[in-house]
Amino acid sequence: MIETLEAYAIELGPVWSAFIATSFTWMVTALGASLVFFFKEIKRSVFDTLLGFTGGVMIAASFWSLLAPSIKHAESQFPTASWIPAAVGFLAGGLFIFALDKFMPHLHINFNKEESEGVATKWHKSTLLLLAITLHNIPEGLAIGILFGAASMGMEGASITAAIALAIGIGIQNFPEGMAVAMPLRRNGASRRKSFWYGQLSAAVEPVAGVIGAFSVIYMQNILPYALSFAAGAMIFVVVEEVIPETQRDKYTDLAVLGFMAGFTLMMILDVALG
């Protein structure tokens, strides 16, 4: 199965491969949001566990799929300091999301309207919630696109199978993200259709970010190791600033940690076994 997908990706090229892979992660988000047609809410214990799982996948992907290939590739450019591109790109990625976090109005999932972040606005809570998940999804799409582009350039440590594994891992953790937007909206009185629409829309940015990521490394090959670590830094910022705090606001913190460990383990297995 993986060999077939790899051959198909090579035939399509990195940009189309990135687009299809990120469209897959978008569709999985929509699948998670579709549960709103069958349930009005989800138990908080289950929600926190799934959210923790999301964080675990993102942390593991940041190292095995992004930082490790960045360092490996940089060894030829910086034999005695291969950490330079990884460190610079990592910090730049975190600062990029930090800037978006400060200026883009948004509201984290388990927070009250008064706790919204970014520029002050009178936008509805559902809009702020959608923007928060959209912010979350930008680095995920970038990571997939950049890895497909890096693999197409023959970058040491990067491969098509690793990019496919990353897309599968992010797709799996996008399922609870779709629920994370749709369920609160439904619980607060929105219709099933509207709740689903906003839930799936939160991941629509991933194909856009994926294509941008693939294009950037194809046409600017010198930034390859920086681009990989940039995506890693962006994802780590999201996990530490957004995902983890949202799982620690009630009594199910232990379940959230176990979910985190499960997600980390799954992504590690996917990347090591397939990448």
Side-chain angles (χ1 to χ4, degrees):
M1 178 63 177
I2 294 296
E3 290 79 5
T4 302
L5 291 174
E6 182 179 12
Y8 187 56
I10 293 172
E11 182 179 346
L12 284 175
V15 175
W16 275 108
S17 296
F19 177 76
I20 292 173
T22 47
S23 294
F24 160 74
T25 61
W26 179 15
M27 291 302 103
V28 177
T29 306
L31 186 62
S34 71
L35 292 184
V36 78
F37 290 110
F38 308 99
F39 307 99
K40 189 171 184 178
E41 59 182 339
I42 184 173
K43 289 183 179 180
R44 187 56 188 270
S45 58
V46 175
F47 180 82
D48 282 351
T49 303
L50 292 174
L51 202 58
F53 178 89
T54 293
V57 169
M58 293 177 72
I59 292 287
S62 295
F63 176 73
W64 272 281
S65 298
L66 301 169
L67 282 174
S70 172
I71 295 171
K72 186 71 174 176
H73 181 74
E75 289 176 351
S76 59
Q77 296 178 341
F78 304 93
T80 59
S82 57
W83 51 268
I84 290 178
V88 172
F90 184 82
L91 292 174
L95 289 172
F96 172 71
I97 299 298
F98 171 78
L100 290 180
D101 187 71
K102 289 301 178 185
F103 291 104
M104 180 188 289
H106 62 284
L107 177 67
H108 298 320
I109 296 168
N110 294 326
F111 288 51
N112 298 318
K113 175 70 181 294
E114 298 73 28
E115 298 176 279
S116 62
E117 300 178 2
V119 177
T121 179
K122 295 182 180 180
W123 290 349
H124 193 273
K125 183 177 180 179
S126 60
T127 303
L128 295 173
L129 182 62
L130 172 65
L131 288 174
I133 301 297
T134 300
L135 182 66
H136 182 159
N137 286 327
I138 290 173
E140 295 176 3
L142 278 175
I144 294 173
I146 288 170
L147 194 54
F148 269 109
S152 72
M153 297 292 103
M155 176 178 175
E156 189 174 3
S159 66
I160 296 295
T161 50
I164 293 172
L166 178 62
I168 292 172
I170 288 178
I172 291 171
Q173 61 95 42
N174 271 8
F175 185 83
E177 283 186 11
M179 292 191 296
V181 178
M183 292 295 183
L185 293 177
R186 177 60 181 154
R187 187 172 59 248
N188 292 332
S191 68
R192 288 184 173 88
R193 183 174 296 180
K194 182 178 180 180
S195 300
F196 168 75
W197 173 253
Y198 277 108
Q200 63 82 30
L201 191 61
S202 65
V205 70
E206 288 197 5
V208 177
V211 169
I212 291 173
F215 263 118
S216 67
V217 297
I218 290 171
Y219 292 102
M220 294 180 286
Q221 296 183 32
N222 290 335
I223 71 166
L224 274 174
Y226 296 94
L228 286 167
S229 55
F230 179 94
M235 288 211 290
I236 293 294
F237 187 96
V238 166
V239 173
V240 177
E241 196 275 337
E242 177 185 336
V243 176
I244 292 177
E246 289 172 9
T247 67
Q248 303 298 304
R249 292 171 65 88
D250 51 42
K251 62 182 179 180
Y252 301 111
T253 56
D254 287 347
L255 291 177
V257 173
L258 290 174
F260 181 97
M261 295 180 68
F264 186 97
T265 302
L266 176 63
M267 189 64 232
M268 177 180 64
I269 291 172
L270 281 174
D271 197 272
V272 174
L274 301 180

